[in-house]
């Protein structure tokens, strides 16, 4: 009487890729090779991970720091770099006030330091570059989305891709120099001359849903929980089907 | 041990109630779900148990509330490494529902599924014997939508991804079948005390 169960609902349950169980289980040593500042609060850390199994844009990893007395702190970080960067990955960390792990990265870490990582983890938020993607992020939530944008550019993919990214101000917009025509920035506190200041709203989402590619968008929403709730509601209200919205919440 | 240069961590007091690799989130209750929070009212909510049972059945919100009330007071642990101490949930023990449908002798596992389509698998041993609830209250208040309201599964001795939000039903099976996160690389059981985070742990 063996059966396979499928729930009677619409949520996009299947993961996009098979996750390597071995890669997800093994801690590897990663060496910081470069650090570069993105904004006053965010910096990118380039890591050499010689045995990295490869990832898909959108995936994250688990990172751990160990103190002399054996105390460990583990946190999740999305991968910022595109997959075609053999033996290297990049992470972009926001400096969280009083943060244990991001605090170490921003005040202690230098090239040559080692940390431990395991992953990549989770296939759900991954985007292999196969379907039209509508990316919506805020703050450091743009990190996994940037991996998608970079992948799209590096491979010269022609599948439609759009990024709607929210930041407090132009100075706080992570990866500002890398965006092209695919990106619409939204500024919540201060904006360049002639650009409106305000929260992401229906008016930002509507034009993107109006230019639906054949088959529709697969939406990827990433940021704090407050932002994820707000942005996913905007998408649903604008007509994006709930089962074609994937959300990554940073907590 | 791979010591990180210059990393001391926060000053800390040893806490035997904290499973390995977890930290105390204090008053925070982070939200982690992969889907859009559904707009689900008590009137839309129902809970069904079927599969390998003698009498499959569904309960409406009112019918579920007629079962004997039961509360959980204790700790919860999320795989993303926060734990929350001394929380209070109110609802009904899952045993009360399972007693009505009567499990078939061949039943060993369940897939819990939510109104959004999220799934997670559990051995029946983790769902019976007063270890699991259908919860609709948190701290004496109705459970908030983003935390799974109107009602969620509560299996506090396992990582919290097992406690499916917006619970819609249990399908009882004679085998283990990975659910949403389990298909995405997470551990089949998820015991925080054994740090069963990812498959292979
Ligand atoms: C899937 C996923 C992907 C993520 N990707 C990214 C990413 O790409 N980039 C990024 O920047 N972040 C990302 N995050 C968030 C990241 O995991 C961390 O939560 C973040 O870096 C903060 O960690 P921290 O150790 O610096 O801060 P924490 O030490 O965890 O502190 C966070 C806050 O809680 C308070 N706090 C917590 N514990 C205590 C305590 N014991 N005592 C006192 N205060 C405390 C701190 O003061 C601070 O305000 C991601 C999260 C998830 C779930």
């Amino acid at each position: 009487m063996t059966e396979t169960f499928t729930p009677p609902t619409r949520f996009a349950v299947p993961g996009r890729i098979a996750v390597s169980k071995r890669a997800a289980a093994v801690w590897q040593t990663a060496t910081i090779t470069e650090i570069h500042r993105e904004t006053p609060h965010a910096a990118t850390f380039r890591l050499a991970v010689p045995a990295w199994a490869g990832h898909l844009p959108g995936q994250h990893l688990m990172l751990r720091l160990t103190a002399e007395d054996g105390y460990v702190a583990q946190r999740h970080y999305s991968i910022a770099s595109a997959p075609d960067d053999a033996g290297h990955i990049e992470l972009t960390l926001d400096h969280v006030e009083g943060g244990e792990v991001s605090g170490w990265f921003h005040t202690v870490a230098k090239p040559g330091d080692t940390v431990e990582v395991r992953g990549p983890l989770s296939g759900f938020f991954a985007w292999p570059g196969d379907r039209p993607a509508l990316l919506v992020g805020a703050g450091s939530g743009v990190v996994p989305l940037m991996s998608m944008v970079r992948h799209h550019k590096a491979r010269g993919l022609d599948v439609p891709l759009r990024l709607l990214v929210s930041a407090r101000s132009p100075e706080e917009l992570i990866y500002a120099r890398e965006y092209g025509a695919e990106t619409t920035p939204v500024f919540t506190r201060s904006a360049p001359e002639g650009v409106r200041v305000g929260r992401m709203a229906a008016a930002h989402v509507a034009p993107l849903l109006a230019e639906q590619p054949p088959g529709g968008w697969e939406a990827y929403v990433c940021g704090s929980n407050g932002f994820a709730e707000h942005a996913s509601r905007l998408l649903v209200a604008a007509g994006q089907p709930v089962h074609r919205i994937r959300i990554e919440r940073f907590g | 041990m791979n010591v990180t240069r210059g990393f001391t961590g926060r000053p800390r007091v040893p806490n035997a109630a904290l499973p390995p690799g977890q930290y105390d989130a204090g008053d925070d209750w982070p939200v982690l779900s992969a889907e859009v929070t559904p707009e689900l009212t008590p009137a839309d909510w129902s809970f069904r148990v079927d599969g390998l049972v003698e009498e499959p059945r569904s309960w409406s919100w009112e019918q579920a509330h007629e079962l004997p009330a039961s509360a959980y007071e204790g700790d919860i642990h999320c795989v993303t490494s926060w734990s929350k101490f001394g929380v209070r949930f109110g609802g009904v023990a899952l045993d009360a529902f399972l007693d009505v449908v009567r499990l078939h002798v061949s039943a060993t596992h369940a897939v819990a599924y939510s109104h959004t389509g999220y799934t997670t698998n559990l051995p029946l041993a983790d769902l019976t014997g007063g270890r699991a609830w259908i919860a609709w209250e948190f701290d004496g208040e109705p459970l908030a939508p983003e935390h799974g309201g109107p009602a969620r599964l509560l299996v506090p001795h396992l990582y919290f991804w097992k406690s499916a939000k917006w619970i819609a039903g249990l399908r009882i099976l004679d085998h283990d079948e990975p659910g949403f996160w389990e298909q995405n690389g997470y551990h089949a059981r998820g015991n925080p005390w054994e740090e069963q985070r990812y498959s292979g742990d």
Side-chain angles (χ1 to χ4, degrees):
Chain A
M1 227 181 118
T2 293
E3 60 168 326
T4 297
F5 174 64
T6 310
T9 36
R10 300 176 302 157
F11 178 48
V13 173
R16 298 300 305 275
I17 52 152
V19 173
S20 159
K21 296 188 175 176
R22 252 201 71 250
V26 176
W27 288 103
Q28 304 186 51
T29 300
T31 307
I32 300 177
T33 60
E34 274 170 61
I35 303 177
H36 89 256
R37 184 140 295 288
E38 298 284 354
T39 71
H41 294 286
T44 293
F45 299 83
R46 185 167 170 81
L47 305 170
V49 196
W52 186 247
H55 64 276
L56 282 179
Q59 284 192 286
H60 61 263
L61 51 68
M62 179 78 112
L63 184 143
R64 92 174 163 196
L65 305 182
T66 307
E68 298 238 6
D69 64 357
Y71 172 78
V72 278
Q74 304 190 21
R75 302 289 185 272
H76 286 111
Y77 291 103
S78 296
I79 300 159
S81 44
D84 301 333
D85 192 1
H88 286 85
I89 50 173
E90 291 185 359
L91 307 179
T92 301
L93 273 70
D94 227 0
H95 191 172
V96 174
E97 183 77 30
E100 195 170 50
V101 172
S102 68
W104 180 85
F105 270 93
H106 279 267
T107 60
V108 179
K110 337 184 268 224
D113 282 337
T114 58
V115 298
E116 288 176 288
V117 296
R118 67 195 284 202
L121 304 174
S122 182
F124 177 69
F125 203 71
W127 180 71
D130 53 348
R131 303 186 197 167
L134 175 55
L135 317 178
V136 185
S140 58
V142 73
V143 173
L145 309 178
M146 193 60 196
S147 177
M148 301 176 191
V149 172
R150 287 171 169 162
H151 180 57
H152 190 262
K153 201 189 262 183
R155 291 273 179 98
L157 303 178
D158 51 19
V159 55
L161 179 93
R162 295 284 179 281
L163 171 64
L164 195 54
V165 56
S166 173
R168 278 194 204 95
S169 64
E171 300 70 50
E172 298 213 23
L173 180 62
I174 301 175
Y175 314 126
R177 284 161 307 140
E178 275 185 67
Y179 300 126
E182 79 291 328
T183 299
T184 311
V186 177
F187 298 108
T188 57
R189 303 269 174 82
S190 67
E193 277 285 318
V195 178
R196 256 197 72 229
V197 174
R199 212 150 99 101
M200 195 175 284
H204 295 110
V205 176
L208 296 168
L209 285 175
E211 52 157 320
Q212 290 268 350
W217 297 110
E218 189 94 343
Y220 290 79
V221 175
C222 186
S224 65
N225 178 56
F227 175 79
E229 285 292 296
H230 174 68
S232 60
R233 282 198 192 124
L234 284 179
L235 287 168
V236 173
Q240 177 70 12
V242 287
H243 64 285
R244 300 202 63 198
I245 301 176
R246 293 164 196 271
I247 305 180
E248 184 94 287
R249 301 172 199 246
F250 282 4
Chain B
M1 193 167 74
N2 209 323
V3 173
T4 316
R5 183 188 64 83
F7 177 70
T8 50
R10 265 196 195 95
R12 55 202 167 266
V13 257
N15 187 342
L18 213 48
Q22 296 293 109
Y23 72 93
D24 179 0
D27 291 336
D28 281 358
W29 189 1
V31 174
L32 292 142
S33 35
E35 67 267 60
V36 179
T37 301
E39 283 179 28
L40 191 68
T41 66
D44 303 324
W45 183 85
S46 61
F47 177 64
R48 180 171 176 80
V49 184
D50 61 15
L52 295 173
V53 297
E54 305 298 338
E55 262 176 81
R57 126 141 236 215
S58 298
W59 287 261
S60 68
W61 182 255
E62 284 75 24
Q63 290 165 338
H65 280 69
E66 284 162 15
L67 295 169
S70 171
Y72 169 74
E73 228 181 300
D75 309 334
I76 56 176
H77 312 287
C78 175
V79 70
T80 62
S81 72
W82 55 266
S83 291
K84 199 167 165 54
F85 293 130
V87 297
R88 262 189 321 131
F89 283 96
V92 169
L94 201 59
D95 298 295
F97 296 92
L98 299 180
D99 287 348
V100 174
V101 298
R102 287 176 289 128
L103 298 171
H104 197 272
V105 284
S106 63
T108 57
H109 290 79
V111 175
Y113 57 97
S114 76
H115 284 270
T116 63
Y118 175 85
T119 55
T120 189
N121 54 314
L122 296 119
L124 284 174
D126 282 316
L127 289 174
T128 52
R131 310 180 86 192
W133 288 259
I134 297 296
W136 41 65
E137 271 176 22
F138 178 76
D139 252 347
E141 300 288 331
L143 185 62
E146 59 182 28
H147 290 302
R152 73 182 297 160
L153 180 63
L154 176 68
V155 192
H157 67 285
L158 298 179
Y159 282 128
F160 224 45
W161 90 80
K162 293 288 177 181
S163 294
K165 295 177 180 183
W166 314 297
I167 187 76
L170 292 180
R171 172 67 58 89
I172 309 296
L173 303 172
D174 59 5
H175 61 280
D176 194 8
E177 195 178 292
F180 175 76
W181 285 122
E182 295 81 11
Q183 288 168 41
N184 278 288
Y186 283 67
H187 196 274
R189 177 146 186 264
N191 178 351
W193 295 98
E194 291 174 19
E195 255 202 295
Q196 296 171 336
R197 298 178 194 275
Y198 302 102
S199 54
D201 281 352

